[in-house]
Amino acid sequence: MNMHHEMSHEEIVRARLIALRCEHRDLDQAIAALASQQMTSSLTLQRLKKQKLVLKDRIARLEDELTPDIIA
């Protein structure tokens, strides 16, 4: 019984969303930990925050892709 299941586009998008949300949460925790340290480089914090914003935008695009268009 060798059943091969290909993931649908929606399943792939949902799996990607889960991964991106996890990465976003991890970055949030890293930023909080670094911000609490006195010897943290502001440049490092800026880069992490920018990376977090990029992830947020990617998450929003994928969420929009999953949301059906409603014609008013």
Side-chain angles (χ1 to χ4, degrees):
M1 296 189 104
N2 188 9
M3 294 184 65
H4 181 61
H5 172 71
E6 290 187 25
M7 291 177 71
S8 69
H9 176 71
E10 185 174 325
E11 289 173 322
I12 293 169
V13 171
R14 288 188 189 283
R16 187 69 186 134
L17 265 173
I18 290 169
L20 288 174
R21 286 178 180 143
C22 182
E23 191 175 342
H24 186 270
R25 185 174 47 251
D26 290 347
L27 265 176
D28 198 36
Q29 291 172 350
I31 289 168
L34 284 174
S36 68
Q37 296 176 3
Q38 292 180 344
M39 298 299 289
T40 301
S41 163
S42 62
L43 182 59
T44 301
L45 279 175
Q46 283 179 320
R47 287 180 179 163
L48 289 176
K49 287 178 180 181
K50 184 175 181 179
Q51 187 177 353
K52 187 178 159 192
L53 284 174
V54 169
L55 283 173
K56 184 178 178 183
D57 289 342
R58 290 171 63 191
I59 289 168
R61 279 196 303 271
L62 289 176
E63 287 173 339
D64 286 347
E65 192 175 319
L66 290 176
T67 305
D69 291 333
I70 299 173
I71 301 172

